[in-house]
Amino acid sequence: MELVLPYLESEGFKQGLLHDYRFRHQDFLNSTFMEMPDDLGTGKLILFSKKNFHFFRGKWNFGEETIFHSPHKVGENDLMDFRISTEGKISSNLISGEKEFEHDTTDIDGMRIFIPKNLFPKDNGLLMEKLNNAERNYLSQEKLKTIFDTPFEDFSGSIILESRILEFLSYWIHYLLSDEKTFESKKAFEEKIKLAKDFVDTNAFRELAIKEISRYCGLNNCDLKKGFKDYTQLPIRQYIIKTRMEAARQMLLETEKSVGEIGDSIGYCNRGHFSQLYQRYFGKLPSEERL
């Protein structure tokens, strides 16, 4: 069987599936949920269409060997194509230097993304190197895993799925536009998170900005926040409060310092705010700890 569809035009792609191949569909906000007719096989996809780019997540199996063709030539409509599998393999016809879209589409579980090609450098050799590096990158693979772990049985999961794809795109486009040659390995990333935790532990009793921690450990804010929470099971701000509260309790039980002195020493000049946080954390006021 041959599947022939416009590939670089989201509305044409959608209408081709609906009218030429009788896919069932349901529109929801800026997404369309489509399901394959039973006589062709089993499967579904969700298509997201933006102003100047589009992407879809799909999983299907045609009942017979099926080859995809498109009347669009690679690079038309000023779009760059990316194909991403659940195994984390990322490829692009444009970057690979191919002229035609022709793929075995019999059994697919993955994602397709089409982005304006003028966003990226024209050096396909550099882009190919970065594609290969991305497949070995811990953070890139983790972000993809959240996408592929998101169910899309119907349109109800589309908002979560869209947000996770956009998060990956933000990370991915930043990398393609950067001068970086490689992504962080898992080991290097974990070392930087440990460095961030040590820095927070040392400086928890003073005002700490996320940007300061980010600069110290060498991670961007988004990756720092996610990695820190995965490592400590708490967001950075909550981890700082926990550290302060545990130190305050120890001082209350082991020293003669006043509640005000203890609050000042751990970074709370407002005694009422300190007492409120302490009560929320331990279920009693700091003044009640010594009773």
Side-chain angles (χ1 to χ4, degrees):
M1 174 180 170
E2 284 195 340
L3 189 70
V4 182
L5 292 166
Y7 206 37
L8 299 176
E9 177 190 318
S10 62
E11 187 59 27
F13 180 76
K14 170 183 171 181
Q15 293 304 323
L17 287 174
L18 298 182
H19 298 302
D20 297 341
Y21 299 98
R22 297 171 287 106
F23 273 55
R24 300 179 291 274
H25 82 289
Q26 185 169 6
D27 292 321
F28 182 71
L29 298 178
N30 61 338
S31 67
T32 299
F33 175 80
M34 289 179 281
E35 190 166 9
M36 184 183 293
D38 296 339
D39 61 312
L40 290 184
T42 58
K44 61 200 72 173
L45 63 87
I46 292 185
L47 172 67
F48 300 91
S49 183
K50 303 294 183 179
K51 182 178 180 180
N52 59 350
F53 70 98
H54 62 280
F55 47 90
F56 66 86
R57 164 79 174 101
K59 182 176 182 179
W60 62 80
N61 185 283
F62 283 94
E64 59 182 282
E65 183 178 352
T66 302
I67 302 299
F68 171 79
H69 297 280
S70 176
H72 283 133
K73 304 300 180 185
V74 175
E76 281 185 5
N77 290 11
D78 292 321
L79 290 176
M80 181 177 287
D81 63 290
F82 292 100
R83 302 191 311 279
I84 307 174
S85 71
T86 51
E87 294 79 25
K89 183 174 177 57
I90 306 173
S91 57
S92 166
N93 287 76
L94 182 64
I95 294 175
S96 298
E98 300 173 40
K99 303 299 182 184
E100 306 285 340
F101 289 113
E102 182 174 305
H103 309 298
D104 182 345
T105 193
T106 309
D107 190 7
I108 295 294
D109 187 357
M111 180 168 57
R112 304 290 184 265
I113 299 173
F114 304 89
I115 311 174
K117 63 183 180 181
N118 59 11
L119 287 176
F120 307 107
K122 296 181 179 180
D123 184 347
N124 280 0
L126 175 61
L127 290 175
M128 180 59 75
E129 179 184 354
K130 291 194 170 193
L131 282 182
N132 293 334
N133 286 335
E135 293 176 18
R136 298 188 296 271
N137 171 248
Y138 166 65
L139 288 177
S140 176
Q141 296 301 313
E142 283 290 296
K143 292 178 189 296
L144 286 176
K145 187 175 184 301
T146 65
I147 293 172
F148 294 129
D149 284 348
T150 302
F152 63 108
E153 296 303 315
D154 54 43
F155 68 87
S156 62
S158 65
I159 295 176
I160 295 175
L161 182 60
E162 180 182 19
S163 68
R164 289 176 175 173
I165 294 174
L166 289 174
E167 180 185 9
F168 170 77
L169 274 176
S170 174
Y171 181 73
W172 175 240
I173 291 173
H174 169 78
Y175 174 63
L176 289 180
L177 293 177
S178 75
D179 294 328
E180 299 171 52
K181 297 297 183 183
T182 60
F183 275 126
E184 296 282 351
S185 69
K186 183 174 183 178
K187 182 177 180 181
F189 178 74
E190 289 176 344
E191 288 300 319
K192 289 186 176 183
I193 292 298
K194 290 177 183 177
L195 190 65
K197 179 182 177 298
D198 289 344
F199 184 73
V200 170
D201 287 339
T202 303
N203 296 277
F205 299 160
R206 68 175 179 84
E207 189 64 32
L208 268 180
I210 299 295
K211 189 176 292 185
E212 181 184 359
I213 305 169
S214 175
R215 283 197 300 264
Y216 181 83
C217 69
L219 291 172
N220 64 52
N221 289 0
C222 179
D223 293 341
L224 168 64
K225 289 177 182 178
K226 182 183 186 308
F228 196 96
K229 185 176 181 180
D230 288 345
Y231 186 66
T232 66
Q233 305 304 306
L234 286 172
I236 294 175
R237 292 300 178 198
Q238 292 302 313
Y239 180 83
I240 290 174
I241 292 173
K242 173 179 179 289
T243 302
R244 289 179 174 186
M245 293 301 105
E246 289 176 349
R249 188 178 197 187
Q250 185 175 2
M251 284 187 276
L252 284 165
L253 296 174
E254 298 179 5
T255 75
E256 298 299 321
K257 290 183 178 180
S258 68
V259 171
E261 289 174 322
I262 291 173
D264 287 341
S265 69
I266 63 170
Y268 297 111
C269 58
N270 184 316
R271 179 174 172 176
H273 180 54
F274 165 53
S275 295
Q276 185 181 48
L277 284 173
Y278 193 95
Q279 184 177 36
R280 188 184 304 162
Y281 199 85
F282 291 114
K284 63 176 75 173
L285 293 169
S287 58
E288 298 172 331
E289 192 68 75
R290 288 169 170 163
L291 298 179

